Structure formats: C-alpha cells, structure tokens
C-alpha cells in the first residue's frame, strides 16, 4: 500500500528527499529507475496491481551489482572532499581557526606542504562551481566566533556563486575552534537537509566545548529533522567529527 503514495510523492520532491524515496523503492522493487519519478510512475501504473516485494537475498544481489556499476562510472556531480552532494539544500561549515594556517604533508621530500585553509578553500570553490543551478546552499565559518555568508540558504545562480566565491576567497585563519555554535547556526536554518563540516581540531571555545555534550545536543536537534552530516577531519583524528557523521548517516573523511 505504501509504494503508490511514495511514487506520487517523488513527483513533487527533489534533492535529498528524492534520493531517499528512490532508495526505499529500489530496495522494495529492485527496479533500475533511480531518481526518475516519471519512470517509477509509468512502471507502477502498468505493473503495480501484480507487484510483490523482492526477497532480502535478491536485494543483496542487486546491491552488489549496483555497487560494481557505480565503481565503473565516472561521476561529474558536485563533490566536497570526495563526498558526493545529492542534496539541493546544503550548508558548508568551514573551520578557519588559527591552526588551519598550518601546512599539510607535502607529496615530495623537502617541499613544503599547502596550508590547510588553502586546500579547504580550493575544494569549496570547486564545489560551488559544480552545484546544480537549482541548488540552495550557504557557508558558515567559525573560529572563536561564527560568521555566515548569508542569513539563509541561497539559490546557486551565477550571481550567488560569484558572491559566495568572493566570500570564500577572502577567508583567513585565526582564533579558536567554536564548533558548537557553528552547528547551532546551521541547524537554525529550516531549509537545510545536509551539512558538511570541515575542522582540524577539537572544540576549544564557545558555549559548549565538551565533545560528548555537543554530540548529545546535535542528536536532540536532529531527532525529527534527519539532517545528514558529512564531516572532514584535517590533520588528525577527531572523534566528535566521526560521531556526527555516524549518528546522522553521513560520511567521514580524513586528510593529512
């Protein structure tokens, strides 16, 4: 009884919710329509009356085949540090504390590495260019304090992208690591469904600095919103970033 309403709802959705509906239908039906709502609709109108959900064994077989196809494909979709962006309502939280001025490991012996903040800015600039035109996004930066590019998410039109890139290009590193207040700022936006967090240190300033308490607060905020949090740790292993990603169903990346 649930498949028909899901198919109808897909016709009105985009971004992360469209992907979630598509994943649910795929695990029930095993059909290769992905996020194509019209294709799901056409199939359901034709075969819905005789449909029966597939077995768990069949789901496992199809998932293995799907993963092989995915690995063979070269995607041109927007990514942030290798994490594919399927959302069209995303916020990027960037650590600009003083330690972000430190350099990363160089690929070559005797050569100095690139400052962490320069790598982060470069990745974010590429990501902004690759976002789909209808995507909504915002940028939150934090050190001892928190600042935002805009008061709310903006559509990634040409003008918005140019302004966002100017904001990113002007960023410098200095101050402490106020992770808690940056997360609270992002969650205050009612439109966001995906958050990317990049940081190179443990929380050191702000209303809350205890990692376990930050984890508890974020879980409370996210109990009914189901915002996906992807995290990128720079220069080390930070348990709070791993927790945020794991708790929300997001991905975690590290680079040195």
């Amino acid at each position: 009884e649930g498949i028909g309403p899901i198919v109808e709802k897909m016709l009105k959705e985009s971004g992360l919710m469209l992907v979630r509906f598509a994943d649910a239908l795929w695990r029930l039906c095993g059909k290769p329509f992905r996020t194509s709502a019209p294709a799901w609709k056409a199939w359901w109108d034709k075969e819905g009356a005789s449909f029966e959900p597939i077995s768990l064994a069949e789901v496992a077989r199809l998932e293995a085949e799907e993963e092989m196809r995915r690995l063979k494909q070269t995607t041109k979709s927007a990514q942030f540090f290798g994490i594919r962006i399927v959302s069209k309502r995303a916020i990027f939280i960037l650590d600009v504390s003083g330690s972000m001025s430190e350099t990363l490991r160089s690929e070559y012996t005797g050569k100095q590495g690139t400052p962490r903040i320069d790598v982060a800015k470069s990745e974010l600039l590429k990501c902004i260019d690759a976002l789909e035109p209808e995507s909504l996004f915002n940028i939150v930066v934090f050190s001892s304090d928190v600042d935002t590019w805009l008061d709310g998410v903006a559509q990634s039109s040409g003008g918005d992208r140019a302004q966002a890139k100017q904001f990113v290009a002007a960023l410098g590193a200095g101050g402490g690591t106020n992770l808690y207040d940056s997360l609270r700022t992002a969650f205050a936006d009612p439109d966001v469904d995906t958050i990317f967090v990049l940081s190179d240190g443990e929380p050191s300033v702000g209303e809350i600095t205890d990692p376990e308490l930050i984890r508890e607060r974020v879980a409370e905020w996210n109990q009914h919103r189901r915002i996906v949090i992807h995290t990128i740790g720079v220069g080390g292993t930070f348990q709070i970033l791993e927790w945020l990603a794991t708790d929300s169903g997001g991905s975690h990346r590290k680079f040195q």
Side-chain angles (χ1 to χ4, degrees):
E1 293 85 356
I3 294 177
I6 291 177
V7 171
E8 292 295 331
K9 188 68 174 176
M10 282 186 71
L11 297 169
K12 304 174 184 178
E13 291 291 345
S14 63
L16 185 62
M17 283 307 302
L18 180 64
V19 172
R20 284 176 171 164
F21 281 139
D23 287 345
L25 289 176
W26 187 83
R27 287 192 295 270
L28 285 168
C29 311
K31 302 298 179 182
F33 306 136
R34 303 197 182 198
T35 55
S36 176
W40 282 109
K41 173 68 173 172
W43 167 76
W44 184 249
D45 288 345
K46 182 179 179 181
E47 302 185 29
S50 59
F51 168 76
E52 291 186 7
I54 60 178
S55 67
L56 292 176
E58 182 68 4
V59 171
R61 183 185 70 81
L62 291 172
E63 284 180 339
E65 292 180 356
E66 180 74 7
E67 179 64 10
M68 288 300 297
R69 282 194 295 269
R70 186 190 68 80
L71 292 174
K72 292 178 181 178
Q73 291 175 342
T74 301
T75 178
K76 296 183 179 179
S77 62
Q79 297 184 11
F80 189 53
F81 285 94
I83 303 173
R84 183 167 172 250
I85 301 174
V86 299
S87 168
K88 294 184 180 179
R89 301 179 182 89
I91 288 180
F92 300 90
I93 298 179
L94 193 66
D95 184 346
V96 293
S97 62
S99 56
M100 285 292 288
S101 62
E102 297 178 9
T103 58
L104 296 167
R105 296 175 184 172
S106 174
E107 297 180 17
Y108 307 100
T109 303
K111 296 290 184 179
Q112 187 174 13
T114 305
R116 296 170 178 175
I117 192 167
D118 288 349
V119 174
K121 288 164 63 174
S122 176
E123 285 290 320
L124 185 51
L125 290 171
K126 289 188 293 184
C127 174
I128 292 171
D129 278 332
L131 289 172
E132 296 183 16
E134 65 272 24
S135 296
L136 302 174
F137 75 102
N138 198 2
I139 303 164
V140 175
V141 296
F142 69 93
S143 54
S144 297
D145 298 313
V146 177
D147 192 16
T148 61
W149 168 48
L150 295 173
D151 291 336
V153 293
Q155 189 163 336
S156 58
S157 61
D160 287 335
R161 293 189 192 197
Q163 293 174 17
K165 291 169 69 174
Q166 289 177 357
F167 177 84
V168 173
L171 293 174
T177 305
N178 192 347
L179 176 63
Y180 175 77
D181 289 330
S182 70
L183 289 165
R184 182 168 58 180
T185 298
F187 268 87
D189 193 310
D191 294 320
V192 65
D193 61 29
T194 302
I195 295 173
F196 290 82
V197 183
L198 180 147
S199 182
D200 75 337
E202 295 287 350
S204 61
V205 296
E207 182 178 330
I208 298 176
T209 58
D210 181 88
E212 292 188 1
L213 188 52
I214 292 176
R215 181 186 192 183
E216 292 177 6
R217 289 291 177 86
V218 172
E220 291 173 2
W221 300 337
N222 211 20
Q223 184 176 3
H224 300 296
R225 295 188 64 179
R226 294 187 62 202
I227 294 174
V228 176
I229 304 174
H230 301 293
T231 58
I232 302 97
V234 185
T237 298
F238 309 106
Q239 196 169 37
I240 179 59
L241 296 181
E242 296 181 6
W243 285 341
L244 293 175
T246 299
D247 293 348
S248 66
S251 300
H252 178 66
R253 298 284 188 275
K254 293 187 290 186
F255 71 95
Q256 301 295 324

